[in-house]
């Protein structure tokens, strides 16, 4: 069965600190996709990244980086030099490639508070 | 930049009333979805729609729910007889293909009183 676990409910950091948000997933499929979305206080869901199961290369985009490790079924997200504007709830999500429906299974989210 | 648009942003309705939540997906997208998020909880899948039919629905999506794509641009979610527990943020999403990223609208906050 599909499952996404974000064990960190809430994290508080001081501005300019680095922070890593953990995501662990379960799936029986060999083809799947992982995503991170940001939900700022305004409530919308903002797409951050998509990674397929065949591509374990880490990715960096500005202050954001993602570490995908199939061996531990993890897809962790690091924000370097955090800023107050990074304060939001971050969701990790999984979509199985062979199910034919492409629905997302979301984790419970991690609320990040960046303090000035 | 193309975006998914949802209306209204907030709707208050009385228990037992019908509501229709509206969405305009991104124009070249082929897959459409509804998700909901009860306050403070995780985002839950309701239904996916492709080629003018439902491709999957969750156990939440019971007979009180229906979706429709009445024309080439709109995608609607209807709740026939709302219950208090239907109060949530409802998100519409669309994707270009099944395995590409989905883009979400800003959500409709439904409050059932």
């Amino acid at each position: 069965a599909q499952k996404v676990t974000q064990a960190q409910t809430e994290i508080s950091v001081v501005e300019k600190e680095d922070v890593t948000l953990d995501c662990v997933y379960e799936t029986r499929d060999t083809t799947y996709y992982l995503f991170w979305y940001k939900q700022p206080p305004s409530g919308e869901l903002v797409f951050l990244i998509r990674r397929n199961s065949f591509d374990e290369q880490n990715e960096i985009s500005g202050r954001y980086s993602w570490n995908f490790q199939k061996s531990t079924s993890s897809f962790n997200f690091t924000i370097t030099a955090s800023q107050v504007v990074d304060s939001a709830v971050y969701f990790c999500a999984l979509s199985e490639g062979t199910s034919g429906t492409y629905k997302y299974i979301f984790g419970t989210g991690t609320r990040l508070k960046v303090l000035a | 930049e193309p975006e998914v648009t949802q209306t209204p942003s907030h709707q208050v309705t009385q228990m037992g009333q019908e509501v229709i939540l509206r969405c305009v997906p991104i124009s070249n997208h082929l897959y459409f979805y509804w998700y909901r998020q009860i306050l403070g909880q995780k985002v839950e899948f309701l239904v996916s729609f492709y080629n003018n039919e439902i491709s999957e629905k969750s156990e939440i999506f019971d007979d009180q729910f229906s979706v429709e794509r009445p024309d080439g641009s709109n995608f609607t979610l209807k709740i026939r007889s709302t219950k208090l527990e239907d109060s949530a943020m409802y998100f519409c999403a669309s994707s270009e293909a099944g395995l590409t990223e989905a883009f979400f609208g800003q959500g409709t906050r439904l409050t059932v009183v």
Side-chain angles (χ1 to χ4, degrees), chain B residues 22 49 52 67-76:
Chain B
R22 302 181 192 280
F49 192 87
N52 280 319
V67 289
E68 197 175 42
R69 188 154 162 81
D71 52 43
S73 58
N74 292 286
F75 180 51
T76 61

Side-chain angles (χ1 to χ4, degrees), chain B residues 6-11 20-22 106-109:
Chain B
Q6 290 184 244
T7 53
S9 56
H10 190 189
Q11 176 139 11
I20 297 176
L21 310 184
R22 302 181 192 280
Q106 79 279 21
T108 293
R109 181 164 296 286

Side-chain angles (χ1 to χ4, degrees), chain B residues 69-97:
Chain B
R69 188 154 162 81
D71 52 43
S73 58
N74 292 286
F75 180 51
T76 61
L77 174 69
K78 182 194 289 187
I79 309 175
R80 264 179 271 283
S81 178
T82 50
K83 309 187 205 48
L84 294 176
E85 55 265 36
D86 294 327
S87 295
M89 180 77 93
Y90 287 81
F91 290 103
C92 173
S94 68
S95 62
E96 191 173 355

Side-chain angles (χ1 to χ4, degrees), chain A residues 21-35:
Chain A
L21 310 182
D22 297 333
C23 173
V24 174
Y25 62 91
E26 293 176 31
T27 176
R28 280 181 276 201
D29 270 22
T30 54
T31 303
Y32 53 90
Y33 294 77
L34 296 163
F35 305 82

Side-chain angles (χ1 to χ4, degrees), chain A residues 31 33 35 37 39 42-45 47 50 91 95-97 99-109 111, chain B residues 31 33 35 37 40-45 48 55-57 89 91 95 97-107:
Chain A
T31 303
Y33 294 77
F35 305 82
Y37 283 83
Q39 187 174 45
S42 49
E44 72 271 25
L45 286 166
F47 166 75
R50 165 181 171 263
F91 289 98
S95 178
E96 290 179 339
S99 68
T101 61
Y102 316 117
K103 67 181 181 187
Y104 289 10
I105 301 299
F106 282 85
T108 49
R111 181 178 299 278
Chain B
Y31 292 78
Y33 313 86
Y35 289 80
Q37 184 182 31
Q41 298 187 23
K42 69 177 178 181
V43 181
E44 300 174 291
F45 169 76
S48 57
S55 42
E56 186 175 353
K57 55 186 180 180
M89 180 77 93
F91 290 103
S95 62
L99 296 172
T100 56
E101 58 273 17
F103 290 90
F104 286 76
Q106 79 279 21

